[in-house]
Amino acid sequence: MSVRSANGKFIGNARRFGGTEKIFATRSEAKDYVRSVEAEISRNGTYINPKKTPTFAEAVKDFIQDEKLKLRKGLIGSAHLRNKEVALLQAAEAVGDMRVGDLRPSVTVKEIKPVYDSGSVKTLRNKISILKELSKWCLERDYCAVNFADITVGAAPKAAFLKPISKDIINKIIKVSEDKYKPHIVCAALTGMRASEQIALEWSDVAFSDGHNSGESGAIYIEKALKKKDGVREPKTRHGVRRIPMSLRLRETLEEWREDQPAKQRQRGLVFPSREGNYASVDNWRNRGLHKACDRAGVDRIRWHDLRHYFASVLIFGSKCTVTEVAKLLGHSSVQITYQIYGHWMEDSERDRVLAQKMDAAFS
């Protein structure tokens, strides 16, 4: 008999399925328990006794230890590990005392997801992804029979539709920018470098055509970037290591800046250091340099990252670069990422080219 009564209570017996006996206040609750064990066996071919599994907090502790081993072997980065620790410790605040074998997607939705909902949709998705990684780790150790993190998370909001910034606007901004920020803005606009790459740029990475530096002339070599928590490191992917040819305008700007750079700023060999010669802050570049120049030029303020988008727009609309070449110059890890960000510009560029040909034929 799966359910029996004793002293006014009801005992659900799931031993024949590999479970245990549990006491409930009502017969229906006892029956539901037996059915749940039977259903779990039907779904997963096994039943995990929750009492024999670690608590969520214990599982997190062991999982993080495994991740630290990966860190020492160079398989993951320290920032990646910190993100996992933060996400899982937040979840442990809600369900730390629960046995892993008792966890279900419903528990994640009711108890863990609300803890994660304080951030953006993107952050929520990243944290649930980390939780899924822990769940997979638990499944491999027979701590649970189901993926307790298998829940639906709303799609991240679509990125804002990028509008190309005209050369006229960029030239106006550059023209009225202060001398101490002008080279920074010109370099960002004419190379598409990420701010983290520009901050870490050294003069030894700049190859001028006049032979001051070794290597192929007229190019900037991107080999490192300043990470917020890890300091100067190689770019996130191998595609971030790249060579960006210099235009004549950029080369002249950088040569002039090298001559005029204050002696105090030269101690580390950085191209765009802080006033004291240390790694600079893009916030200062944006607030004290770019935004003030936008105001003087009488144009809408733009972000520092918009200078990278400007560079991409020039490649797409003003050159004959292929999408592969654009991706390579921007340091994207794949052409798909380039399409994802700039696909509508590429479509517009091709449409304009075709329409121009048709109009030429019609009005000739």
Side-chain angles (χ1 to χ4, degrees), residues 199-299:
I199 290 171
L201 189 69
E202 298 177 5
W203 285 114
S204 58
D205 301 321
V206 182
F208 291 105
S209 60
D210 59 7
H212 287 315
N213 290 311
S214 60
E216 202 164 343
S217 64
I220 291 176
Y221 293 84
I222 308 299
E223 299 176 345
K224 51 189 174 294
L226 180 67
K227 308 297 183 181
K228 286 185 178 180
K229 295 182 179 180
D230 295 334
V232 175
R233 294 287 185 273
E234 292 182 355
K236 189 173 182 179
T237 70
R238 62 182 177 85
H239 301 277
V241 178
R242 62 198 188 278
R243 171 182 175 275
I244 304 175
M246 283 196 292
S247 65
L248 177 60
R249 181 184 186 185
L250 175 60
R251 186 163 62 246
E252 290 176 346
T253 298
L254 290 181
E255 286 176 335
E256 184 178 344
W257 169 239
R258 186 178 58 177
E259 293 296 323
D260 296 340
Q261 188 179 41
K264 194 172 184 179
Q265 295 185 19
R266 301 179 186 180
Q267 54 187 354
R268 285 194 174 189
L270 296 170
V271 179
F272 303 109
S274 68
R275 187 170 56 184
E276 302 299 320
N278 299 314
Y279 292 114
S281 165
V282 68
D283 293 337
N284 289 338
W285 294 356
R286 178 187 63 246
N287 299 332
R288 301 175 186 176
L290 182 59
H291 282 179
K292 286 186 177 181
C294 290
D295 295 343
R296 292 194 195 97
V299 301

Side-chain angles (χ1 to χ4, degrees), residues 51-78:
K51 291 183 178 180
K52 296 182 180 179
T53 64
T55 64
F56 182 84
E58 291 169 341
V60 167
K61 183 179 178 181
D62 291 342
F63 174 76
I64 293 299
Q65 287 301 318
D66 281 359
E67 293 300 295
K68 287 181 178 178
L69 288 175
K70 292 181 182 178
L71 175 65
R72 286 196 286 270
K73 293 178 181 178
L75 300 176
I76 62 173
S78 57

Side-chain angles (χ1 to χ4, degrees), residues 20-83:
T20 61
E21 287 189 343
K22 283 190 176 183
I23 300 174
F24 299 91
T26 65
R27 184 179 295 275
S28 62
E29 288 176 334
K31 285 184 177 180
D32 286 343
Y33 162 67
V34 175
R35 290 195 193 102
S36 68
V37 174
E38 185 177 11
E40 188 169 309
I41 292 174
S42 177
R43 285 194 305 268
N44 308 297
T46 185
Y47 170 73
I48 303 296
N49 187 347
K51 291 183 178 180
K52 296 182 180 179
T53 64
T55 64
F56 182 84
E58 291 169 341
V60 167
K61 183 179 178 181
D62 291 342
F63 174 76
I64 293 299
Q65 287 301 318
D66 281 359
E67 293 300 295
K68 287 181 178 178
L69 288 175
K70 292 181 182 178
L71 175 65
R72 286 196 286 270
K73 293 178 181 178
L75 300 176
I76 62 173
S78 57
H80 191 191
L81 175 60
R82 276 193 295 271
N83 289 338

